[in-house]
Structures are given as C-alpha cells and as structure tokens.
Amino acid sequence: LEQDGLLRPFDVSTVQWPAGYFLALCVAAPIKCGIPQLETILTATNHPSSHPIAIELGSGIGASSMALAMATLSLNSQVQHSGPAPLIIATDHSLQALALSTANVAANSLSEAIKIQRMDHFDMDQVRRLKESYFGDDSSGSDDEGFSLVLGSSLLSFFVDTNHPNAPLWQALDILLHNNSKPNKPPALALLVHAKVDPIHPPSDGSFRLVARISGDSVDMQTRSSASSDFELSIFERCSSSNDDDDDGSCRRRRAS
C-alpha cells in the first residue's frame, strides 16, 4: 500500500494507523475477528446490484475499504467488479488521502469495486447528498434504503460525546444506514474502531444499540511493549422491534419514551 511517512511529509489521513489496520484485519476475516453478522451481510443475495453495500468514513489510504471489497468478492462469487454500482464508497475530506486511496485501489485492481469520493462526515448536508446519489431521496418518508455497513476508525472528535443523541456520529449513521425493517434483510451495522480509553457510548435516546465490543487482542495486535492492544472495535445497529432483549436496555428506553 502506498502511504506517506518515512522520508516524506505526512498528515493524519495519509498514513495507515493501528486502528485502521485493526479494522482492515476484521473486515477481511469476519469470523476470525468474531463478527459473524458481517459475513451474513457480505454473503446476502438480496443487495440490489444498483446499490453499494458499504461506505467508509475517513478512509485514509483505503486499506479497510479494499479489505472489505476483497472479502465480499471472495465470499460471494456472484458479486462482480463490473456491476452497475461499486460495492463500497470510500470517503475522506483530505485531498491527499483521496489521491493515495485512488492509487492503492487501482494498484490492487479494485477500481470497479470501490469508488473514492470526497466528503466531510461532519457536514450532514454532504452526507445526505452522497447517500441520496445512490439510494434516492427520502421524500417518500421511508428510509428503507441505505448502506448495510458504515466503517470508521480513529475519527477523533467524531467519536466524542456520543451519549448525546445529536452527536454527529449518530446523525450520520441515521442518514446512511438502512432501517433494517425488512425481515429478509440483515440488520445494518456500523463498525467503528477507537482507543479503549475513549469508548463510544450508545446515544441516550436509544436510537442505536451496542452489539459488541471486540478487542484488538482478537487479531493478535499488541503495543510496542507487547502489552494488550490499545484498540477495540465497537459494533452498533439501529434499535428496532427485533432487539427487545438488548442487554443495556437502551432500545427499551427509547420505546418507553
């Protein structure tokens, strides 16, 4: 993979950081990482070929999007590179990151499976326009259509104050993810990697629930001193009638209100 660093200047978005590496490992091998729900989504046959499956926020050099594309193509032989829509939309606001991810996607022969687009995930108008460009607008009052997966790693302030329902993270996920109301469609998931010392908390209104937390230890990640991994993957899904038994009661709080 092409990235900045060593003998040339770099910024945060143009280097493969440990959190992004962890996310790439997990989407490449969902079962090994402990995410069977992800493999269910990747092998589902009911994804319209005219719609992408996933979107990555702050994709940097594109490693996680490429790992997900390769896993999808490997698990489902019916999915083709040359479909009417890409499998994955990799987004970043940094022009340098977009240039690197474009080069990496091309070098790995994934240009037809992954589309690189500029987007600021803090700007909800941009987020909504991108989603509508693939799934249409919400003028019908239905949010059935949307991405099945949202990926993100070390998005810094995007992961701050997530207990608040109006935090940018939940606003973006509410726009992007399908509403998982169809019984033959696997629930949409958000896979978010962050430092263990800065956990992502579910919103207080119960609009999303925490499905699982997976330590970087699950893929043998360690610190430089061989200590336990500093990172974890948090998996979230929308609350719905199908998850009445959520452990933390967040979904029940929403229905009670």
Side-chain angles (χ1 to χ4, degrees):
L1 291 176
E2 184 74 11
Q3 61 177 316
D4 288 342
L6 294 178
L7 299 179
R8 68 190 194 197
F10 67 92
D11 63 24
V12 171
S13 63
T14 59
V15 173
Q16 179 66 11
W17 296 100
Y21 177 65
F22 177 25
L23 181 59
L25 290 177
C26 277
V27 299
I31 299 301
K32 179 180 179 180
C33 194
I35 320 174
Q37 309 97 315
L38 175 56
E39 184 159 304
T40 299
I41 290 174
L42 299 186
T43 56
T45 58
N46 61 342
H47 290 295
S49 59
S50 58
H51 297 324
I53 296 173
I55 181 170
E56 183 177 8
L57 309 179
S59 56
I61 66 171
S64 296
S65 289
M66 288 189 289
L68 182 63
M70 291 176 180
T72 305
L73 293 165
S74 175
L75 288 167
N76 190 345
S77 60
Q78 295 180 347
V79 177
Q80 301 296 324
H81 285 268
S82 57
L87 293 174
I88 300 155
I89 311 301
T91 69
D92 209 297
H93 187 60
S94 164
L95 292 176
Q96 294 90 335
L98 295 173
L100 282 169
S101 57
T102 298
N104 285 328
V105 165
N108 286 274
S109 303
L110 290 169
S111 297
E112 293 180 332
I114 300 172
K115 184 171 183 180
I116 311 297
Q117 290 192 232
R118 193 180 192 195
M119 187 185 78
D120 179 357
H121 46 259
F122 283 95
D123 186 329
M124 295 307 137
D125 288 335
Q126 288 188 31
V127 173
R128 186 172 287 102
R129 284 197 298 271
L130 184 145
K131 187 249 187 173
E132 290 177 352
S133 70
Y134 292 100
F135 298 95
D137 61 35
D138 297 328
S139 59
S140 64
S142 170
D143 58 355
D144 282 356
E145 296 298 341
F147 293 96
S148 294
L149 291 168
V150 172
L151 309 180
S153 61
S154 288
L155 297 180
L156 303 177
S157 56
F158 199 59
F159 290 165
V160 171
D161 296 328
T162 56
N163 56 307
H164 296 298
N166 291 326
L169 171 62
W170 307 122
Q171 292 185 52
L173 293 185
D174 188 51
I175 293 169
L176 294 170
L177 291 174
H178 74 67
N179 71 5
N180 76 17
S181 62
K182 298 178 180 179
N184 63 337
K185 195 169 189 176
L189 299 176
L191 277 57
L192 310 171
V193 176
H194 54 91
K196 289 180 179 178
V197 296
D198 297 313
I200 299 177
H201 299 288
S204 59
D205 69 347
S207 52
F208 289 87
R209 77 175 190 111
L210 177 67
V211 177
R213 292 194 195 278
I214 299 171
S215 171
D217 298 337
S218 65
V219 292
D220 301 320
M221 288 188 67
Q222 296 180 332
T223 65
R224 291 179 180 177
S225 60
S226 299
S228 178
S229 173
D230 293 331
F231 299 97
E232 68 181 5
L233 168 66
S234 292
I235 305 172
F236 290 91
E237 71 176 19
R238 289 184 188 272
C239 285
S240 71
S241 59
S242 64
N243 43 49
D244 287 335
D245 59 346
D246 59 301
D247 293 335
D248 64 2
S250 58
C251 293
R252 291 193 295 274
R253 285 199 299 274
R254 184 186 192 201
R255 286 188 287 276
S257 65

